[in-house]
């Protein structure tokens, strides 16, 4: 029987490839047989695990805020490759978008923070779609997967961050909700050749390593969040890879304009 989930012979472009999810996504795509083109501003320590996969990967170090640099990267990629899958996964979780800072809160959030949230949470996906998505349409097939968030559908309760330095700003929900609507818009205009779908992950904390988004298992934010999760545990990036491979592969050949929510039931209560 043929494996409809196989990505053998397919080329995947993945943004935010050096991040927490990006590393698991890269590995999942490589394990399914794909060639992966990785884009990120930083991909520290990735070469060691990528070495196992021979020459089935290529790295592009790009600051996606630099629209010219990003455009040159996408143009170079589509010139040299027939891309089958595009995953828009990068997001800037820094102070620029108002994360984990008092001045990111609703009463204080600046125009610049909201604009950066839009750029990072929606425009980066739009720019990649305009280039790579249209190249796929020209080639006659392709799948685009936009990584949105549970906070595109629900919102953080105000007491979640009380007594901590953490904060999830209004621009994040705004941009990720916009990304879901853009997913449907692009699905309409790129059809029938290209399918465009989204994944909305739930609470998937980085408990692994000292990174900008690392958090301790005992952090009060996680304790409060976990009470709302029907499956009674935090998510892991591996919880997303089944949906990711499904949307990337021929197994989802009749699915477009959809959003798969992978959140342990967080958003239905
Ligand atoms: N972790 C979660 O709980 C969670 C939940 C819902 C949605 N998401 C979404 O999943 C995606 C991945 O999140 P993550 O937890 O892996 O975060 P992460 O910060 O570990 O990964 C994001 C990646 O984007 C890259 N990036 C940031 N600014 C960039 C720039 N200017 N140019 C190029 N690359 C840049 C970072 O370097 C990083 O590697 C994001 O879109 C996020 O919104 C995450």
């Amino acid at each position: 029987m043929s494996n409809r989930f196989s990505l053998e012979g397919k080329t995947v472009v993945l943004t935010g490839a050096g991040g927490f999810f990006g590393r698991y996504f890269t590995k999942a795509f490589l394990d399914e047989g794909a060639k992966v083109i990785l884009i990120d501003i930083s991909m520290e320590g990735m070469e060691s695990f990528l070495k196992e996969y021979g020459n089935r990967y290529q790295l592009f170090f790009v600051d996606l805020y630099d629209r010219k640099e990003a455009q040159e990267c996408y143009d170079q990629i589509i010139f040299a490759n027939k891309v089958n899958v595009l995953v828009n996964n990068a997001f800037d979780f820094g102070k620029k978008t108002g994360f984990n800072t008092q001045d990111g809160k609703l009463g204080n959030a600046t125009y610049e923070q909201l604009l950066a949230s839009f750029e990072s949470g929606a425009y980066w996906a739009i720019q990649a779609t305009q280039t790579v998505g249209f190249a796929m349409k020209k080639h006659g097939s392709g799948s685009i997967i936009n990584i949105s968030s549970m906070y595109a559908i629900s919102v953080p309760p105000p007491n979640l961050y009380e007594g901590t330095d953490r904060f999830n700003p209004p621009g994040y929900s705004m941009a990720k909700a916009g990304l879901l609507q853009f997913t449907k818009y692009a699905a309409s205009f790129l059809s029938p050749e290209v399918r465009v779908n989204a994944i909305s992950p739930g609470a998937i904390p980085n408990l692994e390593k000292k990174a900008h988004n690392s958090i301790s298992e005992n952090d009060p934010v996680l304790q409060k969040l976990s009470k709302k999760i029907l499956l009674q545990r935090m998510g892991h990036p591996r919880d997303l890879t089944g949906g990711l491979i499904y949307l990337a592969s021929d197994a989802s050949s009749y699915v477009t304009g959809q959003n798969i929510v992978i959140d342990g039931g967080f958003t239905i209560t």
Side-chain angles (χ1 to χ4, degrees):
M1 205 174 77
S2 72
N3 175 6
R4 300 200 70 216
F5 290 88
S6 168
L7 298 177
E8 209 75 50
K10 301 212 181 199
T11 297
V12 177
V13 173
L14 170 64
T15 70
F20 179 43
F21 289 2
R23 288 162 193 255
Y24 284 91
F25 290 180
T26 299
K27 189 165 184 337
F29 284 132
L30 288 166
D31 287 342
E32 282 305 326
K35 169 187 172 184
V36 188
I37 299 174
L38 298 87
I39 301 173
D40 207 308
I41 199 164
S42 143
M43 289 183 257
E44 218 174 286
M46 280 193 86
E47 298 268 11
S48 53
F49 98 77
L50 287 169
K51 269 203 295 229
E52 285 174 41
Y53 296 92
N55 60 1
R56 279 199 288 123
Y57 69 91
Q58 201 180 345
L59 308 181
F60 282 87
F61 291 89
V62 180
D63 178 357
L64 293 173
Y65 279 121
D66 184 333
R67 294 194 294 278
K68 189 167 170 284
E69 196 186 327
Q71 195 55 49
E72 281 165 6
C73 165
Y74 297 133
D75 286 342
Q76 211 178 318
I77 289 170
I78 61 167
F79 180 76
N81 299 274
K82 178 178 179 274
V83 178
N84 306 98
V85 179
L86 165 66
V87 184
N88 291 308
N89 168 66
F91 183 80
D92 175 11
F93 279 112
K95 297 235 180 299
K96 196 166 172 172
T97 51
F99 270 83
N100 304 327
T101 170
Q102 292 299 316
D103 67 1
K105 293 190 171 176
L106 182 57
N108 310 332
T110 63
Y111 175 79
E112 286 72 23
Q113 286 168 349
L114 292 164
L115 204 60
S117 298
F118 167 74
E119 266 194 88
S120 174
Y123 182 72
W124 290 355
I126 296 170
Q127 186 179 18
T129 301
Q130 286 174 326
T131 309
V132 182
F134 274 89
M136 288 170 168
K137 190 166 169 65
K138 209 162 138 198
H139 285 304
S141 69
S143 170
I144 299 176
I145 304 164
N146 293 322
I147 306 300
S148 181
S149 168
M150 65 183 187
Y151 284 152
I153 302 156
S154 63
V155 286
N159 68 357
L160 183 61
Y161 304 102
E162 260 166 25
T164 77
D165 297 334
R166 298 186 179 275
F167 188 69
N168 189 310
Y172 186 66
S173 291
M174 174 197 78
K176 291 291 185 173
L179 182 61
L180 288 186
Q181 197 60 10
F182 175 71
T183 299
K184 293 189 212 167
Y185 194 98
S188 170
F189 281 81
L190 291 178
S191 67
E193 295 89 352
V194 181
R195 300 182 297 106
V196 188
N197 293 288
I199 290 178
S200 291
I204 306 188
N206 189 348
L207 305 170
E208 286 181 359
K209 55 172 186 142
K210 271 261 153 278
H212 64 98
N213 54 358
S214 303
I215 184 165
S216 138
E217 220 168 325
N218 306 318
D219 191 289
V221 172
L222 295 193
Q223 305 291 324
K224 286 186 204 162
L225 267 175
S226 60
K227 293 202 176 89
K228 271 204 77 190
I229 301 172
L230 294 181
L231 298 185
Q232 296 185 0
R233 67 168 174 86
M234 288 290 151
H236 186 277
R238 275 191 294 268
D239 293 315
L240 304 174
T241 52
L244 186 77
I245 300 299
Y246 168 68
L247 289 177
S249 70
D250 294 344
S252 60
S253 59
Y254 200 51
V255 179
T256 197
Q258 302 305 307
N259 175 34
I260 301 185
V261 182
I262 304 179
D263 68 350
F266 182 92
T267 48
I268 68 155
T269 58

